[in-house]
Amino acid sequence: MSFNVDKLSILYETPVEYLPRISRELGVEFYMKRDDLTPLGAGGNKLRKLEYLVKDAMNKGATMLITVGGGQTNHGRQTAAMAAKYGMKCAILAVDEYPGELSANMLIDRLFGCELYLKKPDGRPESVQLKELTESVIARYEALGEKVYYIPVGGSNVLGALGYFDCAAELDRQARSMGLGAARVIDTVGSTGTYAGLYLGLKDVRSDLHLTGIAIMPFGEKNFARLEKYMNEVKDRFGMDAEVDPADFDIETGYVRGGYNLPSGEVREAVELMASREGILLDPCYTGKAFAGVMDMIREGKIARGEKIIFIHTGGMPGLYTPAHRVEFEKELMDGVHVL
Ligand SMILES: *Cc1c(COP(=O)(O)O)cnc(C)c1O
């Protein structure tokens, strides 16, 4: 199914690769879809959503993109890259502490010419503080004559979901051509736009792929209800005929390891394993945590020995350089640094 919705066309098909050393070590057939290699701003999954969102902004005559997230948001970095490419202004707003140095995604955001607004948390609900911050910054730029296009957290709104709706068809086609038509697809779940798009898109092409999400922050009843509502909104807006059935949502919620972007030794081990066996960099907030979850699922028998899995690498590599993670890596890895 295709829709009469405008999008930019900067992405090409990302590869699906077999990872032989990881497969041998984990006892499964491990494949990876390399959405970390999408071709702008250090890559990642948000570009697929932004192809739709930024085109919509341009159609509406916007001169500036404003988005929100954590201070180290990957989505913000990719939005900033898009803004640079298409000659728009950009700002990222966060209720977050300044980490004491300009590094990781925040450094890259500034290279793209994007402004950062970090509001120190004051103890009130984060959503309330973020709403105030967003309203005041947007009003400020509008008063300066900018036409602002607001993009919600993770680019996960109705339009953004189409990015992974499209990706589902691409992935299904690739998987079938590789004899992986009934494999299990692993998706890292944050703001849920990727999962929602994949879910609807896989149904649309009547795929036999099984979609498993791994949540990287607390995900409960409310989140499942919100996800169902979100998917139905996407479905209704674009007249999709896929049935949204919460009974076949498959999202693992037990591998959160404390909360969003918190340092975890198990996640660092997972990042190190992938890096040292395949030369592929995961990140400590999203994909490393999801991969640590996959390793647990294999140990626990939730993923069977020999099972074919396609792990979607959604990007995030700059997160390795966030101070909170880097200092922990340093403690563990200094033993191989020989200062002579
Ligand atoms: C945003 C992000 C995700 C999660 O995608 P959602 O659509 O927000 O669920 C996963 N991995 C990385 C690296 C991300 O930046």
Side-chain angles (χ1 to χ4, degrees), residues 45-46 49 74-75 78 154 156 187-195 283 286-287 314-316:
N45 61 336
K46 303 311 183 303
K49 307 175 185 188
N74 295 306
H75 160 70
Q78 290 161 84
S156 291
D187 167 47
T188 309
V189 176
S191 66
T192 73
T194 304
Y195 188 90
D283 81 287
Y286 289 99
T287 55
T314 41

mmCIF file of all heavy atoms in Angstrom, residues 45-46 49 74-75 78 154 156 187-195 283 286-287 314-316, ligand 1:
data_model
loop_
_atom_site.group_PDB
_atom_site.id
_atom_site.type_symbol
_atom_site.label_atom_id
_atom_site.label_comp_id
_atom_site.label_asym_id
_atom_site.label_seq_id
_atom_site.Cartn_x
_atom_site.Cartn_y
_atom_site.Cartn_z
ATOM 1 N N ASN A 45 17.788 5.724 13.020
ATOM 2 C CA ASN A 45 16.425 5.416 12.573
ATOM 3 C C ASN A 45 15.555 6.657 12.370
ATOM 4 O O ASN A 45 14.540 6.598 11.670
ATOM 5 C CB ASN A 45 15.734 4.455 13.552
ATOM 6 C CG ASN A 45 15.593 5.009 14.958
ATOM 7 O OD1 ASN A 45 16.347 5.881 15.381
ATOM 8 N ND2 ASN A 45 14.622 4.491 15.691
ATOM 9 N N LYS A 46 15.923 7.785 12.975
ATOM 10 C CA LYS A 46 15.028 8.938 12.901
ATOM 11 C C LYS A 46 14.967 9.547 11.497
ATOM 12 O O LYS A 46 14.003 10.226 11.163
ATOM 13 C CB LYS A 46 15.428 9.991 13.930
ATOM 14 C CG LYS A 46 15.465 9.496 15.374
ATOM 15 C CD LYS A 46 14.220 8.737 15.757
ATOM 16 C CE LYS A 46 14.156 8.269 17.208
ATOM 17 N NZ LYS A 46 15.251 7.409 17.666
ATOM 18 N N LYS A 49 11.832 8.746 9.552
ATOM 19 C CA LYS A 49 10.664 9.541 9.954
ATOM 20 C C LYS A 49 10.793 10.962 9.425
ATOM 21 O O LYS A 49 9.828 11.585 8.981
ATOM 22 C CB LYS A 49 10.576 9.580 11.477
ATOM 23 C CG LYS A 49 10.605 8.209 12.152
ATOM 24 C CD LYS A 49 10.630 8.386 13.669
ATOM 25 C CE LYS A 49 10.777 7.073 14.399
ATOM 26 N NZ LYS A 49 10.625 7.198 15.852
ATOM 27 N N ASN A 74 19.380 11.328 20.085
ATOM 28 C CA ASN A 74 19.831 10.994 18.722
ATOM 29 C C ASN A 74 18.881 11.587 17.692
ATOM 30 O O ASN A 74 19.292 12.005 16.608
ATOM 31 C CB ASN A 74 19.849 9.477 18.516
ATOM 32 C CG ASN A 74 20.864 8.783 19.389
ATOM 33 O OD1 ASN A 74 22.038 9.129 19.388
ATOM 34 N ND2 ASN A 74 20.418 7.783 20.141
ATOM 35 N N HIS A 75 17.601 11.573 18.050
ATOM 36 C CA HIS A 75 16.591 12.148 17.160
ATOM 37 C C HIS A 75 16.881 13.633 16.911
ATOM 38 O O HIS A 75 16.778 14.118 15.782
ATOM 39 C CB HIS A 75 15.202 11.960 17.775
ATOM 40 C CG HIS A 75 14.184 12.888 17.225
ATOM 41 N ND1 HIS A 75 13.708 12.791 15.940
ATOM 42 C CD2 HIS A 75 13.591 13.976 17.775
ATOM 43 C CE1 HIS A 75 12.845 13.775 15.728
ATOM 44 N NE2 HIS A 75 12.758 14.495 16.820
ATOM 45 N N GLN A 78 19.758 14.037 14.427
ATOM 46 C CA GLN A 78 19.373 13.783 13.037
ATOM 47 C C GLN A 78 18.475 14.904 12.505
ATOM 48 O O GLN A 78 18.546 15.269 11.323
ATOM 49 C CB GLN A 78 18.711 12.401 12.928
ATOM 50 C CG GLN A 78 19.726 11.283 13.140
ATOM 51 C CD GLN A 78 19.087 9.928 13.500
ATOM 52 O OE1 GLN A 78 18.672 9.193 12.624
ATOM 53 N NE2 GLN A 78 19.005 9.629 14.784
ATOM 54 N N GLY A 154 11.224 11.984 19.493
ATOM 55 C CA GLY A 154 11.491 10.812 18.656
ATOM 56 C C GLY A 154 10.891 10.888 17.257
ATOM 57 O O GLY A 154 10.989 9.934 16.491
ATOM 58 N N SER A 156 7.929 10.698 16.697
ATOM 59 C CA SER A 156 6.907 9.643 16.720
ATOM 60 C C SER A 156 5.499 10.223 16.759
ATOM 61 O O SER A 156 4.813 10.162 17.784
ATOM 62 C CB SER A 156 7.147 8.708 17.910
ATOM 63 O OG SER A 156 8.327 7.965 17.686
ATOM 64 N N ASP A 187 13.414 -5.016 17.468
ATOM 65 C CA ASP A 187 13.410 -3.556 17.386
ATOM 66 C C ASP A 187 13.556 -2.960 18.788
ATOM 67 O O ASP A 187 12.864 -3.368 19.713
ATOM 68 C CB ASP A 187 12.085 -3.082 16.751
ATOM 69 C CG ASP A 187 11.872 -1.585 16.920
ATOM 70 O OD1 ASP A 187 12.825 -0.829 16.647
ATOM 71 O OD2 ASP A 187 10.763 -1.180 17.336
ATOM 72 N N THR A 188 14.439 -2.014 18.928
ATOM 73 C CA THR A 188 14.625 -1.288 20.190
ATOM 74 C C THR A 188 13.504 -0.269 20.347
ATOM 75 O O THR A 188 13.295 0.555 19.457
ATOM 76 C CB THR A 188 15.975 -0.544 20.152
ATOM 77 O OG1 THR A 188 17.000 -1.460 19.770
ATOM 78 C CG2 THR A 188 16.306 0.059 21.500
ATOM 79 N N VAL A 189 12.789 -0.323 21.468
ATOM 80 C CA VAL A 189 11.596 0.523 21.621
ATOM 81 C C VAL A 189 11.842 1.693 22.569
ATOM 82 O O VAL A 189 12.173 1.495 23.739
ATOM 83 C CB VAL A 189 10.409 -0.311 22.136
ATOM 84 C CG1 VAL A 189 9.186 0.582 22.382
ATOM 85 C CG2 VAL A 189 10.050 -1.409 21.143
ATOM 86 N N GLY A 190 11.705 2.904 22.051
ATOM 87 C CA GLY A 190 11.786 4.121 22.857
ATOM 88 C C GLY A 190 10.466 4.862 22.786
ATOM 89 O O GLY A 190 9.517 4.546 23.498
ATOM 90 N N SER A 191 10.375 5.798 21.849
ATOM 91 C CA SER A 191 9.143 6.582 21.709
ATOM 92 C C SER A 191 8.102 5.869 20.841
ATOM 93 O O SER A 191 7.038 6.431 20.575
ATOM 94 C CB SER A 191 9.463 7.963 21.134
ATOM 95 O OG SER A 191 9.940 7.857 19.806
ATOM 96 N N THR A 192 8.380 4.670 20.406
ATOM 97 C CA THR A 192 7.479 3.692 19.749
ATOM 98 C C THR A 192 7.133 3.946 18.271
ATOM 99 O O THR A 192 6.415 3.149 17.679
ATOM 100 C CB THR A 192 6.135 3.470 20.505
ATOM 101 O OG1 THR A 192 5.276 4.604 20.337
ATOM 102 C CG2 THR A 192 6.347 3.178 21.978
ATOM 103 N N GLY A 193 7.645 5.017 17.688
ATOM 104 C CA GLY A 193 7.318 5.271 16.285
ATOM 105 C C GLY A 193 7.859 4.191 15.359
ATOM 106 O O GLY A 193 7.225 3.843 14.351
ATOM 107 N N THR A 194 9.015 3.676 15.697
ATOM 108 C CA THR A 194 9.629 2.641 14.865
ATOM 109 C C THR A 194 8.816 1.351 14.954
ATOM 110 O O THR A 194 8.489 0.730 13.935
ATOM 111 C CB THR A 194 11.090 2.417 15.317
ATOM 112 O OG1 THR A 194 11.769 3.670 15.263
ATOM 113 C CG2 THR A 194 11.807 1.413 14.427
ATOM 114 N N TYR A 195 8.474 0.961 16.173
ATOM 115 C CA TYR A 195 7.694 -0.262 16.369
ATOM 116 C C TYR A 195 6.323 -0.151 15.687
ATOM 117 O O TYR A 195 5.891 -1.071 14.979
ATOM 118 C CB TYR A 195 7.516 -0.541 17.869
ATOM 119 C CG TYR A 195 6.878 -1.882 18.153
ATOM 120 C CD1 TYR A 195 7.648 -3.026 18.323
ATOM 121 C CD2 TYR A 195 5.495 -2.008 18.228
ATOM 122 C CE1 TYR A 195 7.062 -4.267 18.571
ATOM 123 C CE2 TYR A 195 4.891 -3.241 18.461
ATOM 124 C CZ TYR A 195 5.679 -4.364 18.636
ATOM 125 O OH TYR A 195 5.089 -5.592 18.865
ATOM 126 N N ASP A 283 25.161 1.282 20.872
ATOM 127 C CA ASP A 283 25.219 2.432 21.780
ATOM 128 C C ASP A 283 24.690 2.040 23.158
ATOM 129 O O ASP A 283 23.929 1.086 23.288
ATOM 130 C CB ASP A 283 24.405 3.594 21.200
ATOM 131 C CG ASP A 283 22.926 3.416 21.469
ATOM 132 O OD1 ASP A 283 22.293 2.562 20.831
ATOM 133 O OD2 ASP A 283 22.397 4.113 22.348
ATOM 134 N N TYR A 286 20.372 2.728 23.745
ATOM 135 C CA TYR A 286 19.333 2.001 23.000
ATOM 136 C C TYR A 286 19.769 0.601 22.539
ATOM 137 O O TYR A 286 19.362 -0.417 23.083
ATOM 138 C CB TYR A 286 18.905 2.811 21.777
ATOM 139 C CG TYR A 286 18.108 4.050 22.078
ATOM 140 C CD1 TYR A 286 18.700 5.306 22.103
ATOM 141 C CD2 TYR A 286 16.741 3.975 22.316
ATOM 142 C CE1 TYR A 286 17.959 6.453 22.367
ATOM 143 C CE2 TYR A 286 15.994 5.117 22.575
ATOM 144 C CZ TYR A 286 16.608 6.344 22.599
ATOM 145 O OH TYR A 286 15.868 7.474 22.852
ATOM 146 N N THR A 287 20.595 0.584 21.503
ATOM 147 C CA THR A 287 20.838 -0.703 20.828
ATOM 148 C C THR A 287 21.676 -1.658 21.663
ATOM 149 O O THR A 287 21.501 -2.873 21.575
ATOM 150 C CB THR A 287 21.529 -0.464 19.468
ATOM 151 O OG1 THR A 287 22.722 0.313 19.673
ATOM 152 C CG2 THR A 287 20.615 0.284 18.513
ATOM 153 N N THR A 314 19.462 0.590 15.054
ATOM 154 C CA THR A 314 18.818 1.889 14.869
ATOM 155 C C THR A 314 19.773 3.067 15.099
ATOM 156 O O THR A 314 19.344 4.216 15.132
ATOM 157 C CB THR A 314 17.599 1.989 15.804
ATOM 158 O OG1 THR A 314 17.952 1.419 17.075
ATOM 159 C CG2 THR A 314 16.410 1.227 15.247
ATOM 160 N N GLY A 315 21.063 2.782 15.293
ATOM 161 C CA GLY A 315 22.051 3.867 15.374
ATOM 162 C C GLY A 315 22.424 4.243 16.799
ATOM 163 O O GLY A 315 22.370 3.412 17.705
ATOM 164 N N GLY A 316 22.828 5.481 16.994
ATOM 165 C CA GLY A 316 23.078 5.990 18.346
ATOM 166 C C GLY A 316 24.528 6.016 18.790
ATOM 167 O O GLY A 316 24.819 6.343 19.949
HETATM 168 C C1 LIG B 1 15.147 6.763 18.966
HETATM 169 C C2 LIG B 1 15.977 5.549 18.958
HETATM 170 C C3 LIG B 1 15.394 4.274 19.092
HETATM 171 C C4 LIG B 1 13.941 4.064 19.379
HETATM 172 O O1 LIG B 1 13.094 4.375 18.312
HETATM 173 P P1 LIG B 1 11.614 4.873 18.646
HETATM 174 O O2 LIG B 1 10.973 5.067 17.335
HETATM 175 O O3 LIG B 1 11.769 6.143 19.444
HETATM 176 O O4 LIG B 1 10.972 3.806 19.477
HETATM 177 C C5 LIG B 1 16.219 3.176 19.017
HETATM 178 N N1 LIG B 1 17.541 3.306 18.835
HETATM 179 C C6 LIG B 1 18.133 4.508 18.713
HETATM 180 C C7 LIG B 1 19.600 4.556 18.548
HETATM 181 C C8 LIG B 1 17.373 5.671 18.768
HETATM 182 O O5 LIG B 1 17.971 6.862 18.656
#
